[in-house]
Amino acid sequence: MKEEQDYIRDIAAMRSMMERSSKFLSLSGWAGIMAGIYALSGAYIAYKIFDFNPDEIIYSTAGSGSLTYSLLMVIFLAVLILILAMGTAIFLSKKKAKKRGENIWNPTAKRLLINMAVPLLAGGLLILVLISKGLIGLIAPFTLLFYGLALYNASKFTYEEVRTLGLIEIGLGLISSYFVGYGLLLWAFGFGVVHIIYGIYLHYRYEQ
Amino acid sequence: MNIAIKTLHKAFESRVRLGIMSALAVNDKLDFNSLKEYLDITDGNLASHIKALEKEKFIGVKKSFVGKKPNTKYFVTKEGKKAFDDHLKALEKLIKSQKSI
């Protein structure tokens, strides 16, 4: 007959299996820290070099064409940050998954990505519409808002802290859509500082 | 306490089978390779445990094709879910009763 210890171990094994097979736990804290650093440097470049800091919803840098050079460069910069951040996250998750003896492309990863992709794609398309209508001041707030919604939506399938992160980004997005003049600053805070704090927290909580 | 032990299903004595049931309890469907990865065991070992659970009618099989490759997915049946829940309850009861002694 089994001993009490065995039953306790049975339950522990069941619980760990349920968690491992339903949640993507290969997210790396370092990915958050790196994404934050990219975002902060991107916001700094946009502000200092391209003089991008919309203070009104309808904003055009030169007043003539709707798509000015600096705006184009800022969009290019934003896409570059996105690719860098995602590339780093995938690379580090792959490393972490390998260490855990798992494949990165498993059912939990798929679910996490699908649940993030729907709000993100909707937001991305909406932002293209905003650009075409010249509503430049709303871009930063809406990236925060939709990114927050994506995180909140996907949080069931990964670390529970992602839910809080999502709520913070949603809040920052809403605040900055009202105070448009602080859009870039709040964007730098949301994507930069918050990511770095979250990454450090994740690292110390789960990767020690 | 004896009653609780009786409700512990024999099929769940092996931790591998408990693992299979746990993974399927929180996923609608899983294929062979995903299960293998979570449990970290050999093909033959996993196949024999799956067969045993299938025989009890605790899990079902759904075969389909992804392109030309056959893709077999497993899911928990209603009976399996009930047996698993009962087993979990019995385990918890056992631990509680032994703690109170």
Side-chain angles (χ1 to χ4, degrees):
Chain A
M1 203 193 96
K2 282 188 177 178
E3 296 285 319
E4 182 193 346
Q5 282 300 316
D6 292 314
Y7 296 134
I8 292 175
R9 234 173 279 147
D10 272 2
I11 289 192
M14 287 156 85
R15 189 168 295 157
S16 122
M17 176 59 71
M18 285 178 173
E19 190 175 86
R20 262 187 338 122
S21 63
S22 64
K23 288 175 181 240
F24 184 75
L25 300 177
S26 297
L27 276 184
S28 161
W30 274 105
I33 297 171
M34 291 310 290
I37 293 171
Y38 301 147
L40 280 182
S41 12
Y44 182 79
I45 293 170
Y47 180 71
K48 276 280 169 191
I49 299 180
F50 301 121
D51 198 21
F52 180 79
N53 192 19
D55 46 5
E56 282 172 50
I57 287 178
I58 299 171
Y59 173 81
S60 83
T61 36
S64 51
S66 58
L67 272 183
T68 59
Y69 170 76
S70 85
L71 179 59
L72 261 171
M73 288 313 286
V74 168
I75 293 170
F76 175 74
L77 191 66
V79 173
L80 189 73
I81 293 171
L82 185 72
I83 292 171
L84 264 176
M86 277 183 9
T88 309
I90 292 171
F91 175 76
L92 290 173
S93 291
K94 225 176 190 166
K95 236 171 85 181
K96 197 170 165 187
K98 207 173 171 189
K99 224 163 106 190
R100 290 158 52 94
E102 285 177 10
N103 193 338
I104 184 174
W105 192 235
N106 62 20
T108 61
K110 276 178 218 168
R111 240 173 302 169
L112 181 75
L113 279 185
I114 290 169
N115 278 282
M116 278 196 84
V118 173
L120 279 185
L121 281 177
L125 292 174
L126 181 64
I127 284 164
L128 289 181
V129 173
L130 293 180
I131 293 171
S132 75
K133 303 277 182 194
L135 304 175
I136 308 307
L138 286 178
I139 296 177
F142 279 28
T143 52
L144 280 166
L145 182 61
F146 280 89
Y147 178 61
L149 288 170
L151 290 180
Y152 185 84
N153 201 35
S155 63
K156 292 183 285 282
F157 307 108
T158 184
Y159 296 111
E160 56 185 346
E161 286 82 359
V162 170
R163 191 163 165 262
T164 321
L165 180 65
L167 287 173
I168 293 172
E169 305 288 9
I170 291 171
L172 287 171
L174 288 173
I175 293 168
S176 61
S177 68
Y178 188 80
F179 301 102
V180 175
Y182 294 98
L184 188 68
L185 196 69
L186 286 168
W187 190 93
F189 182 73
F191 280 100
V193 179
V194 174
H195 265 152
I196 292 174
I197 294 172
Y198 165 81
I200 292 172
Y201 177 81
L202 207 69
H203 182 71
Y204 279 100
R205 173 108 197 249
Y206 298 107
E207 286 163 30
Q208 285 297 302
Chain B
M1 193 182 139
N2 280 322
I3 307 158
I5 282 187
K6 267 180 209 154
T7 57
L8 283 180
H9 204 289
K10 268 216 307 245
F12 296 139
E13 254 168 30
S14 129
R15 203 161 280 160
V16 174
R17 281 179 221 171
L18 265 187
I20 296 172
M21 291 301 286
S22 305
L24 290 176
V26 289
N27 287 279
D28 293 342
K29 277 183 233 121
L30 282 177
D31 60 19
F32 191 87
N33 284 332
S34 306
L35 277 174
K36 195 180 129 189
E37 187 184 302
Y38 291 138
L39 290 154
D40 199 19
I41 53 174
T42 63
D43 282 20
N45 199 349
L46 177 59
S48 78
H49 282 296
I50 284 178
K51 203 156 264 173
L53 287 170
E54 249 183 89
K55 220 170 131 197
E56 297 277 354
K57 295 205 165 56
F58 284 174
I59 61 176
V61 188
K62 201 182 160 213
K63 288 190 172 147
S64 63
F65 281 87
V66 176
K68 277 186 176 172
K69 265 165 89 188
N71 186 275
T72 312
K73 291 202 162 171
Y74 302 93
F75 58 91
V76 179
T77 61
K78 242 184 205 167
E79 293 162 63
K81 179 92 178 78
K82 193 184 173 301
F84 182 71
D85 287 345
D86 288 348
H87 185 80
L88 191 60
K89 263 182 222 151
L91 277 181
E92 278 169 353
K93 215 183 263 173
L94 257 171
I95 291 168
K96 255 184 223 156
S97 70
Q98 287 186 346
K99 268 197 187 132
S100 60
I101 290 171

